[in-house]
């Protein structure tokens, strides 16, 4: 009877842990959905500015993206036709080849390039740092490059108010049988906890 009681208690703890983390993630998802449109609009406007710049100066590999990114308040990534980052304001990602690390995502990027329109993702995660970010994508008119913009969401009030990472960490303290919590993006990258 004691063994069954302990097993029931462990099962209840697991259910509570999972429920707490999922509730926190759903809350941030719902809240973020309502505030996402202004961030998306800003990213689209900045992408249009970069496309206009590309029309004037197609030597995109020579652009000083760190200066442009500071002015915009967003990270900039330039992907070539093989979905490799060939110029960026975020040096850690320079040379990242999505076709090697993330085949499904690379296929999605190919479709986005061919469509030639603006695309914006919701909450995602940086492949190098695990930091929650929002990314947008649009191909240059000649479809030679894909312009990707990224915004670090850790400073956004929405994520601070509904911090699912903090909730996950709190579960480790609250439940002694829980050793670790890992949250992964759909591409399999761990969110930095």
């Amino acid at each position: 009877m004691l063994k069954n009681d302990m097993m029931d208690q462990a099962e209840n703890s697991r259910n509570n842990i999972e429920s707490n983390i999922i509730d926190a993630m759903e809350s941030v998802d719902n809240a973020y959905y309502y505030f996402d449109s202004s961030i998306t609009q800003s990213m689209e406007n900045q992408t249009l500015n970069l496309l206009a710049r590309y029309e004037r100066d197609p030597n995109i590999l020579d652009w000083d993206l760190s200066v442009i990114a500071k002015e915009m308040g967003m990270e900039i990534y330039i992907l070539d036709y093989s979905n490799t980052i060939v110029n960026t304001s975020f040096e850690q990602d320079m040379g990242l080849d999505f076709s090697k690390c993330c085949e499904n995502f690379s296929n999605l990027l190919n479709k986005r390039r061919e469509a030639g329109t603006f695309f914006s993702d919701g909450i995602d995660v940086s492949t190098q740092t695990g930091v929650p970010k929002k990314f947008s994508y649009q191909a240059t008119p000649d479809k030679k490059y894909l312009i990707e913009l990224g915004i670090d969401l850790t400073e956004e009030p929405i994520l601070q108010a509904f911090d699912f990472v903090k909730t996950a960490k709190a579960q480790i303290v609250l439940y002694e049988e829980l050793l670790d919590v890992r949250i992964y993006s759909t591409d399999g990258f761990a969110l930095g906890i």
Side-chain angles (χ1 to χ4, degrees):
M1 216 163 97
L2 182 60
K3 179 181 172 185
N4 287 342
D5 204 26
M6 288 177 69
M7 288 175 63
D8 287 345
Q9 185 177 358
E11 179 66 25
N12 285 339
S13 290
R14 275 192 301 276
N15 289 338
N16 286 338
I17 293 165
E18 184 177 316
S19 178
N20 288 340
I21 294 170
I22 288 173
D23 286 349
M25 290 181 81
E26 286 176 346
S27 293
V28 75
D29 235 12
N30 291 333
Y32 187 75
Y33 174 78
Y34 291 106
F35 295 98
D36 182 53
S37 61
S38 66
I39 294 172
T40 299
Q41 187 60 56
S42 177
M43 293 178 99
E44 187 170 12
N45 291 342
Q46 294 297 352
T47 299
L48 291 173
N49 290 338
L50 290 173
L51 290 173
R53 182 185 187 116
Y54 185 75
E55 295 260 335
R56 293 187 310 273
D57 177 13
N59 296 319
I60 201 166
L61 299 181
D62 295 331
W63 293 2
D64 187 349
L65 294 184
S66 60
V67 171
I68 300 168
K70 275 187 183 171
E71 292 169 4
M72 291 174 33
M74 299 176 195
E75 296 294 344
I76 306 168
Y77 311 82
I78 305 300
L79 286 71
D80 68 6
Y81 203 77
S82 69
N83 294 327
T84 300
I85 297 176
V86 293
N87 193 5
T88 182
S89 60
F90 191 70
E91 287 301 313
Q92 289 173 276
D93 280 348
M94 186 64 173
L96 179 65
D97 183 347
F98 288 109
S99 66
K100 289 183 180 170
C101 75
C102 329
E103 188 178 336
N104 289 338
F105 184 61
S106 184
N107 292 334
L108 177 63
L109 291 176
N110 290 336
K111 290 176 185 172
R112 289 177 172 181
R113 178 182 284 104
E114 285 308 309
T117 57
F118 178 81
F119 291 90
S120 165
D121 292 338
I123 298 173
D124 204 345
V125 60
S126 169
T127 57
Q128 301 294 331
T129 64
V131 169
K133 285 192 171 188
K134 176 177 177 64
F135 295 101
S136 69
Y137 308 86
Q138 184 161 349
T140 55
D142 58 9
K143 298 185 181 173
K144 188 173 180 183
Y145 298 103
L146 196 60
I147 296 174
E148 176 183 359
L149 299 182
I151 295 180
D152 182 339
L153 295 175
T154 55
E155 299 302 316
E156 291 295 317
I158 296 299
L159 278 187
Q160 290 177 353
F162 301 97
D163 193 340
F164 59 88
V165 174
K166 211 180 279 183
T167 301
K169 286 181 182 178
Q171 302 308 299
I172 297 169
V173 173
L174 191 59
Y175 296 96
E176 64 185 43
E177 64 272 21
L178 181 63
L179 302 177
D180 195 11
V181 174
R182 302 231 180 228
I183 301 171
Y184 292 91
S185 72
T186 54
D187 293 317
F189 294 106
L191 184 66
I193 296 184

